[in-house]
Amino acid sequence: MTTEVASGRKARPDRYDAIIVGSGIGGLVCGGYLAADGRRVLVLEQHDVAGGNAHVFRRRRRYEFDVGTHYLGDCGEDGIIPAVLSGLGVGDRVRFRPMDNERGFDRVITPTVTLDVPAGWDNYRDRLKRALPGETAGLDRFIDLAKTTTALSRASLLGEPVIDLYRASPEVTRWSRRSLGAVFDHCGFSARARTVLAAQFGNYGALPADVSFSVHANLMDHYLRGAYYPEGGGQVLVAALVEALEGYGGELRTRTSVARILVEDDTAVGVELTDGERITAPLVISNADYRRTVLDLCGGEAVFPSHLVRQTREATMRFPLTAVYVALDTELPDTPNANIWWHADDDLERTHARMIEEGMREIPQLIFSFASVKDAGAPNVCPPGHSNFQLMTVCPPGHAFWGVDKGPADGGPYRRNAAYAARKKQVTEAMVATAEEVVGPFRDHITHLETATPLTNERYIRASGGTPYGLANWGGVGKRPDVRTGVEGLYVVGQSTRYGSGVGGAATGGMVCASHVLGRRLLAEVHRGAVVGDPSLLPDRGPGWDPLRVSRGRARREAKGLARIG
């Protein structure tokens, strides 16, 4: 049987049952489960390696830096991420190292408060009350609401009947749909309390007025179930998913860019690559940026209703991020096995509103992630006695801040632009200087320093606005698209769907998408211990196994240009 593609000429018979555009965590999870069910799956990735924001890069044959996997939550025995991996038969291929969940996996620092965040909602409540003694009534109201909201969300994800629970908790249903800022108002919090509670907003990249309470509560619940780091770094997690995909008969092609998603008669029929090759399949799943999927890959109004296209075109994105990757020839003294969330002011909302309006005159907040502490002794992270850590800050949206008119995804040159280089140097210096104020001097020991701006992120993962967090406002605060698009055979996964940010949210969205395709409640099944597919088909890991090499896909595994450690 042949399929008519958009040009009217014939394509060869379908070689694939599903094509996935992009190899972020959502796409790999979805593709792995479809392949495990016996579907012929092709994953296409424009970058050199799979993983999207979860990939790593190497420098000087001594250091490996995680782009987006800074820590993971909910990786204990009852955890959703281990269940997703185990359901594919790769649960024993990724080990999770706990951070300091007792003393604190996150350290929040403001001018007047230092708070170490421990695992457990009630432990967190106790620490908050000690740090904010005048806010106890509001804190009880907030934590109780968050605990109930997250319990209902988790029960729903795991297939438990929740109608009666929602009927018994009408207040939770009402407030879970409001903004985090509205709940702060409801609880009567001071600016300082609002800052401490929203201090880790860098996990989802939006201020309290621009994110729903349920998103904040569920992401906090994710980490309050225990914070972990994948042993060997984030690429190990990606490589395990690639092994599942390929072991079950799927295919990963890296350095392969998609120009168009082909849709005929309101039905997805395949993709066209930038080199003109057309590949057909009755199912296309886009793990690409949502705005680019709708407006560019699918052609906007040619495929979607005008109101959805307008809503997507007018949508705002969450904050972009600038990251500085630092390596030292010494260890930093007294570094906790925790992230540090430093804020310049006790009024986070006022500070960031000023940053958006006036530009980054100073660093409003800084996030520290210490890979060499979280994965201590790992030979890929750094040599013994060295340090590897990352500094991150949100920055003003838009290309103009960086001195360019358009970004690299739209063909805009930037790396040799003098205004861009000057801005990048200024922001880097300010971030390093601020970091030294927080953890002490270290610049005399720097052996590697590298900055990734939002334009860097846009270049590598084609993210609108250079943000790793996806959509902020898609027709309403907290409103985001589902994995189903309304076009037959076309689905979306990734950071912009309603299932949330980070590895956990992307993996959940991938599971939900695969569940719709297969007609199964996969997340509930694997959480109860089900394994989809035959783990005996998974590849062995021989001596010198390298997750970055595996993540290039079978066809390019031996290609030149792979950076190595040692």
Side-chain angles (χ1 to χ4, degrees):
M1 179 179 176
T2 59
T3 302
E4 287 287 330
V5 293
S7 67
R9 60 188 173 88
K10 302 280 187 181
R12 63 173 174 262
D14 292 349
R15 293 174 53 196
Y16 302 101
D17 297 309
I19 297 170
I20 298 177
V21 182
S23 67
I25 294 296
L28 289 176
V29 167
C30 183
Y33 273 91
L34 295 182
D37 189 67
R39 310 294 177 103
R40 298 166 298 171
V41 179
L42 172 64
V43 177
L44 302 171
E45 170 56 51
Q46 57 93 23
H47 189 31
D48 184 59
V49 295
N53 267 319
H55 83 276
V56 305
F57 64 93
R58 293 168 175 168
R59 292 293 185 262
R60 303 177 186 271
R61 299 182 67 90
R62 294 191 293 173
Y63 306 109
E64 183 175 281
F65 297 101
D66 261 302
V67 171
T69 307
H70 305 116
Y71 65 154
L72 304 172
D74 199 16
C75 292
E77 291 184 5
D78 189 46
I80 284 180
I81 291 177
V84 170
L85 295 171
S86 296
L88 286 173
V90 296
D92 60 346
R93 298 187 173 216
V94 184
R95 290 183 290 274
F96 298 101
R97 302 183 71 163
M99 295 171 64
D100 197 337
N101 289 311
E102 184 174 339
R103 282 186 292 185
F105 58 81
D106 277 338
R107 175 169 293 173
V108 173
I109 301 175
T110 79
T112 62
V113 173
T114 297
L115 173 72
D116 289 318
V117 179
W121 277 106
D122 290 335
N123 295 330
Y124 179 45
R125 184 203 308 256
D126 291 343
R127 298 273 179 94
L128 285 168
K129 286 184 174 180
R130 288 200 291 271
L132 302 164
E135 312 270 0
T136 56
L139 289 170
D140 279 332
R141 190 177 303 121
F142 185 85
I143 297 298
D144 289 344
L145 195 57
K147 287 177 67 175
T148 307
T149 297
T150 57
L152 288 170
S153 296
R154 190 177 183 86
S156 178
L157 275 178
L158 297 179
E160 299 175 22
V162 295
I163 294 297
D164 290 341
L165 294 176
Y166 277 109
R167 287 173 178 165
S169 307
E171 182 187 24
V172 169
T173 304
R174 182 173 69 254
W175 285 108
S176 66
R177 298 171 179 169
R178 303 284 295 277
S179 73
L180 176 62
V183 176
F184 283 168
D185 293 342
H186 171 66
C187 294
F189 288 132
S190 65
R192 183 172 73 157
R194 294 165 76 104
T195 297
V196 171
L197 286 164
Q200 296 116 302
F201 82 97
N203 278 325
Y204 47 76
L207 293 177
D210 300 317
V211 68
S212 71
F213 171 67
S214 62
V215 165
H216 173 85
N218 280 308
L219 205 56
M220 287 300 300
D221 183 69
H222 177 71
Y223 293 111
L224 289 170
R225 290 176 177 273
Y228 300 80
Y229 189 78
E231 188 173 312
Q235 202 70 48
V236 171
L237 177 64
V238 173
L241 294 172
V242 172
E243 288 176 328
L245 172 76
E246 294 182 336
Y248 296 134
E251 181 183 350
L252 167 66
R253 289 193 207 174
T254 52
R255 285 199 174 174
T256 306
S257 296
V258 173
R260 286 197 300 154
I261 293 173
L262 303 173
V263 177
E264 284 188 351
D265 299 325
D266 299 322
T267 302
V269 297
V271 300
E272 180 179 315
L273 307 184
T274 52
D275 64 4
E277 179 185 0
R278 292 185 173 193
I279 310 172
T280 61
L283 179 65
V284 178
I285 298 158
S286 180
N287 193 188
D289 174 83
Y290 181 78
R291 291 184 87 248
R292 296 189 186 280
T293 297
V294 172
L295 304 178
D296 300 332
L297 295 179
C298 291
E301 285 91 346
V303 170
F304 294 101
S306 58
H307 72 273
L308 185 142
V309 174
R310 183 175 62 255
Q311 181 173 314
T312 302
R313 188 172 285 117
E314 295 173 354
T316 58
M317 308 304 295
R318 291 184 179 175
F319 275 116
L321 193 71
T322 295
V324 178
Y325 302 92
V326 186
L328 310 178
D329 63 5
T330 187
E331 295 181 354
L332 286 171
D334 304 318
T335 306
N337 190 0
N339 304 302
I340 294 177
W341 302 81
W342 174 88
H343 292 269
D345 195 283
D346 276 324
D347 192 337
L348 174 156
E349 291 160 287
R350 180 184 62 191
T351 301
H352 284 77
R354 188 167 64 241
M355 177 195 74
I356 294 170
E357 183 176 341
E358 302 175 1
M360 191 178 284
R361 295 184 178 180
E362 59 182 17
I363 302 300
Q365 51 89 230
L366 201 60
I367 310 164
F368 298 72
S369 176
F370 303 99
S372 51
V373 176
K374 297 172 186 176
D375 205 9
N380 58 303
V381 173
C382 62
H386 287 223
S387 294
N388 173 330
F389 62 99
Q390 190 172 342
L391 310 171
M392 293 159 282
T393 188
V394 299
C395 50
H399 295 124
F401 177 75
W402 298 98
V404 298
D405 296 325
K406 61 181 180 179
D410 298 315
Y414 72 97
R415 285 183 288 173
R416 292 182 176 85
N417 180 295
Y420 171 77
R423 177 68 78 184
K424 181 178 177 180
K425 181 179 180 180
Q426 173 217 332
V427 172
T428 301
E429 171 57 30
M431 290 175 68
V432 170
T434 302
E436 289 190 299
E437 293 177 10
V438 179
V439 299
F442 59 76
R443 73 176 68 214
D444 289 346
H445 293 279
I446 292 175
T447 55
H448 186 78
L449 185 74
E450 183 171 349
T451 300
T453 71
L455 299 185
T456 314
N457 198 41
E458 183 180 330
R459 174 187 168 202
Y460 282 104
I461 66 169
R462 302 291 193 266
S464 292
T467 177
Y469 305 112
L471 292 166
N473 190 321
W474 188 67
V477 173
K479 187 176 180 182
R480 286 179 152 208
D482 195 7
V483 296
R484 293 171 290 189
T485 66
V487 175
E488 183 70 25
L490 178 63
Y491 294 80
V492 294
V493 294
Q495 293 294 336
S496 284
T497 68
R498 61 187 289 255
Y499 296 97
S501 300
V503 170
T508 298
M511 292 292 285
V512 172
C513 184
S515 295
H516 284 306
V517 173
L518 301 179
R520 301 170 61 175
R521 297 293 298 262
L522 284 171
L523 196 53
E525 288 184 35
V526 301
H527 195 259
R528 292 194 295 264
V531 178
V532 181
D534 180 2
S536 69
L537 299 174
L538 299 172
D540 293 329
R541 292 180 175 179
W545 181 82
D546 184 349
L548 201 61
R549 177 174 168 268
V550 170
S551 301
R552 300 175 98 191
R554 188 177 285 119
R556 294 195 60 254
R557 205 148 282 162
E558 305 304 327
K560 294 180 180 179
L562 176 67
R564 300 185 183 276
I565 295 292

